Amino acid sequence: MAKEPKPQEIISQINYKPPQKSWMNLPVERKEGMFCYGAKEKSLQTVDFPNPRTWSVLDEDWKLPHNWQEIVLEGMAERLKKYRSFKIFMDICVRCGACADKCHYFLGTGDPKNMPVLRAELLRSVYRGNFKNIGKVLGKLAGGRKLTLDVLKEWWYYFYQCSECRRCSVFCPYGIDTAEITMIARELLNLLGLNIEWIAGPAANCYMKGNHLGLEPHTIKNSIDFLLDEIEEKTGVRVSPTFNRKGAEILFVTPSGDLFADPGTYTCMGYLILFHELGLDYTWSTYASEGGNFGFFTSMELAKRLNTKIYAEAKRLGVKWIIGGECGHMWRVINQYMDTWNGPADFLEVPISPITGTKFENAKSTKMIHISEFTADLIKHGKLNLNPKRNDHLKVTFHDSCNVARGMGMFEEPRYIIKNVCPHFYEMPEDTIREKTFCCGSGSGLNASENMELRLRGGLPRAMAVKYVQEQYGVNMLACICAIDRAALPPLMNYWVPGVDVTGVTELVANALVMKGEKERTTNLRGEELPNIAK
Ligand code: SF4
Ligand code: SF4
């Protein structure tokens, strides 16, 4: 693994000055720490993907099929026909540059090929060189180029340096969505078995076991049992959830990361406490045991396959509707793509909160609501006995997760919850939140350890916004509603903004929630002493 540079080294190396040479003549330097390891043979075999083999990114020979150019160009032609948006995005960019400085990877690296306009141009130049007469004839003069091995390797490097966060699209006057271009580019790369293991491994696990970590049913149950013991120790209340229970009203699905890694586990304890307190008729599934969808970072087809399991399980168990935990891309997949892929979930009912009677019309088609929508509604109707003073020691800011915020427009619910359970809340600067939120730097399957330098660079804009509120208001807690964020943000904060911890919103709720029959609470869910005022 590459040596991690010091913060000052990273800052001093960022240079936004345009290079002397044209971008087409700039060779790609594949720098360790800036890319993830290639997909393993077994992972590709599991999901029946093309060209499974052992290969290494730094090798000259990527062991491609002899007709690889034909495969890619045919794949491109097919997608130009199938996705109208792809064809439009290839044709209409006017190179105005409005998106150029909006990508966190460009801001953190200064590499021009990380400008959204140039990232798209990597693909667009091949489109022009092979599908447009002018590009076929005039080549480079008309912005066209041939698909060579160097070009392919350049695609791989830069399309796995895009977290599909869509921030650039907010600023494009033509609405070009570079994330969609990245998705197509990754699909084309996957036709040759060119994925990264951090995506291919979890996708294969999810396909076989129902979750990214590859947890067996008994392991899922054991790990939740461990959390139940923790809850009992802290609150004196024994919580008893059910698993795979047919006839429950609600199916609950959350990212598997919440079951294992801190601070996700505290959020998971939060779900368990909240649902227990409400006496909710719900069940966990050990089959649909993953909210996330790493297929989404591979191809539409694999994303569709993985998404199906949640609905197949809802049908099998005969639940009425679904609550989803704090997860990022689950929400983008469900709200932006599911109806086209799987069709509306007509066999379920429009969610109605059994506690408040609220009908969630916004989930008419998906039949799935976000835990933050559910909780905000409970608070609005006064259904939770909350003592925000228990969170008095926290100065909280909120990171909008790209997929939930920009992807589906959920901005207010988490803020409303935080303000009701924490006395001190501070917003980061306006151009770094809500639809303009900055990515954590590790989205779309880039949360590996071998690409840590890329993550730290990509996370720099988000980290600087947190640093601002730390310096202004003494912020010491960064809340979010995405499991990838909960995994990606702690190392980012430790590196750039030491002293700021990371939490899920439901953890904050559970700490403030006064449960029926609870013992006097002396610590929060992390085992930390509660402030005196709360005792
Ligand atoms: S989608 Fe996000 S990561 Fe990708 S180019 Fe746009 S801003 Fe950068
Ligand atoms: S903002 Fe849109 S039109 Fe302008 S360069 Fe970027 S992608 Fe092209």
Side-chain angles (χ1 to χ4, degrees):
M1 206 170 296
K3 204 174 137 268
E4 209 172 274
K6 298 258 178 299
Q8 231 10 68
E9 273 175 72
I10 287 191
I11 299 285
S12 64
Q13 285 165 4
I14 302 172
N15 176 9
Y16 299 126
K17 224 170 125 201
Q20 299 287 327
K21 284 189 189 166
S22 135
W23 72 267
M24 278 201 207
N25 300 322
L26 282 179
V28 188
E29 189 205 340
R30 283 192 299 277
K31 195 171 161 246
E32 286 207 55
M34 297 292 284
F35 62 83
C36 295
Y37 299 146
K40 288 186 182 154
E41 185 175 5
K42 192 166 169 280
S43 305
L44 297 181
Q45 265 164 354
T46 302
V47 291
D48 202 16
F49 261 48
N51 202 25
R53 78 257 177 248
T54 303
W55 69 292
S56 165
V57 177
L58 290 177
D59 286 352
E60 201 43 45
D61 181 4
W62 280 11
K63 300 186 186 164
L64 303 176
H66 71 279
N67 60 339
W68 68 266
Q69 278 144 313
E70 204 185 307
I71 294 173
V72 173
L73 292 175
E74 266 177 20
M76 207 163 167
E78 200 184 302
R79 282 157 183 81
L80 285 164
K81 225 193 253 169
K82 190 168 167 191
Y83 301 113
R84 201 168 142 70
S85 56
F86 179 43
K87 170 104 176 58
I88 290 171
F89 294 164
M90 287 294 99
D91 283 328
I92 63 165
C93 173
V94 292
R95 318 296 191 284
C96 68
C99 62
D101 60 349
K102 304 304 184 295
C103 175
H104 48 289
Y105 292 115
F106 172 67
L107 293 173
T109 61
D111 185 338
K113 290 180 195 172
N114 271 324
M115 290 177 181
V117 53
L118 250 188
R119 197 190 305 285
E121 201 66 15
L122 301 177
L123 197 66
R124 202 177 274 127
S125 54
V126 172
Y127 164 70
R128 268 193 227 105
N130 291 275
F131 294 90
K132 295 296 235 189
N133 287 338
I134 186 157
K136 281 190 206 167
V137 177
L138 295 180
K140 273 188 185 178
L141 279 178
R145 60 179 182 166
K146 296 290 166 214
L147 180 58
T148 63
L149 192 57
D150 284 345
V151 167
L152 186 82
K153 289 184 174 181
E154 189 182 50
W155 279 11
W156 188 88
Y157 192 64
Y158 287 103
F159 287 114
Y160 286 108
Q161 279 192 16
C162 166
S163 50
E164 302 179 3
C165 76
R166 300 180 66 234
R167 186 169 197 269
C168 48
S169 70
V170 173
F171 299 88
C172 174
Y174 291 87
I176 295 175
D177 185 349
T178 306
E180 295 261 344
I181 296 173
T182 295
M183 285 156 69
I184 297 287
R186 287 190 183 187
E187 281 205 16
L188 297 175
L189 290 164
N190 273 276
L191 297 175
L192 304 175
L194 293 174
N195 206 327
I196 60 175
E197 181 55 21
W198 192 254
I199 293 174
N205 278 337
C206 201
Y207 190 60
M208 293 306 288
K209 304 279 163 92
N211 59 75
H212 292 153
L213 299 176
L215 309 173
E216 302 282 355
H218 62 277
T219 318
I220 293 172
K221 187 162 179 312
N222 284 350
S223 95
I224 292 182
D225 279 346
F226 173 78
L227 299 179
L228 300 178
D229 292 343
E230 291 284 304
I231 291 171
E232 188 169 15
E233 193 191 312
K234 268 97 207 183
T235 67
V237 177
R238 186 72 195 176
V239 173
S240 309
T242 62
F243 296 88
N244 307 321
R245 179 165 58 89
K246 286 195 173 178
E249 182 180 357
I250 301 160
L251 170 65
F252 178 64
V253 183
T254 200
S256 58
D258 279 350
L259 306 183
F260 263 83
D262 296 346
T265 47
Y266 305 120
T267 304
C268 196
M269 286 157 77
Y271 307 139
L272 289 157
I273 288 174
L274 178 67
F275 296 158
H276 170 87
E277 188 57 19
L278 298 171
L280 208 65
D281 179 14
Y282 85 107
T283 192
W284 294 74
S285 165
T286 54
Y287 166 68
S289 46
E290 179 64 62
N293 188 330
F294 272 40
F296 187 52
F297 311 138
T298 310
S299 74
M300 303 283 186
E301 195 270 331
L302 187 54
K304 175 182 165 178
R305 275 198 257 165
L306 298 187
N307 185 62
T308 308
K309 71 180 183 301
I310 297 176
Y311 285 86
E313 184 67 337
K315 201 176 219 172
R316 186 182 77 87
L317 295 175
V319 302
K320 290 185 181 160
W321 53 282
I322 309 168
I323 296 182
E326 296 187 14
C327 179
H329 49 281
M330 167 162 67
W331 291 101
R332 181 135 152 233
V333 166
I334 294 285
N335 286 278
Q336 293 187 338
Y337 299 93
M338 193 198 81
D339 272 6
T340 321
W341 293 343
N342 308 99
D346 287 341
F347 57 94
L348 296 174
E349 294 176 14
V350 179
I352 297 177
S353 170
I355 315 298
T356 66
T358 298
K359 192 169 188 178
F360 292 92
E361 296 281 358
N362 56 313
K364 211 171 192 165
S365 177
T366 63
K367 313 295 193 306
M368 183 170 191
I369 63 163
H370 191 282
I371 181 88
S372 290
E373 295 175 273
F374 182 65
T375 310
D377 177 64
L378 292 169
I379 295 174
K380 185 165 174 260
H381 287 89
K383 297 294 181 188
L384 300 179
N385 183 7
L386 299 167
N387 179 3
K389 287 285 178 191
R390 287 179 178 172
N391 288 321
D392 203 36
H393 55 304
L394 301 178
K395 297 205 162 139
V396 184
T397 191
F398 179 67
H399 163 68
D400 289 274
S401 304
C402 301
N403 288 317
V404 193
R406 197 159 37 236
M408 66 174 279
M410 189 189 291
F411 305 125
E412 299 312 325
E413 289 86 343
R415 288 177 167 80
Y416 178 75
I417 297 169
I418 295 171
K419 286 178 193 164
N420 275 280
V421 300
C422 298
H424 315 289
F425 174 68
Y426 305 93
E427 287 282 17
M428 285 183 268
E430 209 39 56
D431 56 350
T432 72
I433 56 171
R434 294 192 168 86
E435 74 274 12
K436 292 180 190 157
T437 185
F438 271 114
C439 174
C440 61
S442 307
S444 80
L446 303 182
N447 192 31
S449 48
E450 66 267 21
N451 65 339
M452 190 51 90
E453 183 175 339
L454 175 74
R455 293 173 52 191
L456 297 171
R457 286 178 179 274
L460 180 64
R462 167 45 75 228
M464 289 305 107
V466 177
K467 197 176 169 73
Y468 175 81
V469 284
Q470 184 193 43
E471 287 170 357
Q472 290 287 314
Y473 313 111
V475 159
N476 56 10
M477 189 57 93
L478 176 61
C480 61
I481 49 171
C482 167
I484 293 284
D485 287 339
R486 276 193 290 283
L489 290 170
L492 189 71
M493 292 299 109
N494 278 342
Y495 186 83
W496 291 115
V497 206
V500 175
D501 228 325
V502 177
T503 181
V505 169
T506 310
E507 178 188 341
L508 297 172
V509 173
N511 276 325
L513 187 64
V514 182
M515 300 172 78
K516 291 183 268 306
E518 71 174 20
K519 68 177 189 185
E520 188 192 356
R521 288 218 218 166
T522 54
T523 69
N524 62 18
L525 295 177
R526 300 184 181 205
E528 298 159 349
E529 280 276 301
L530 282 174
N532 280 334
I533 199 149
K535 289 183 185 172

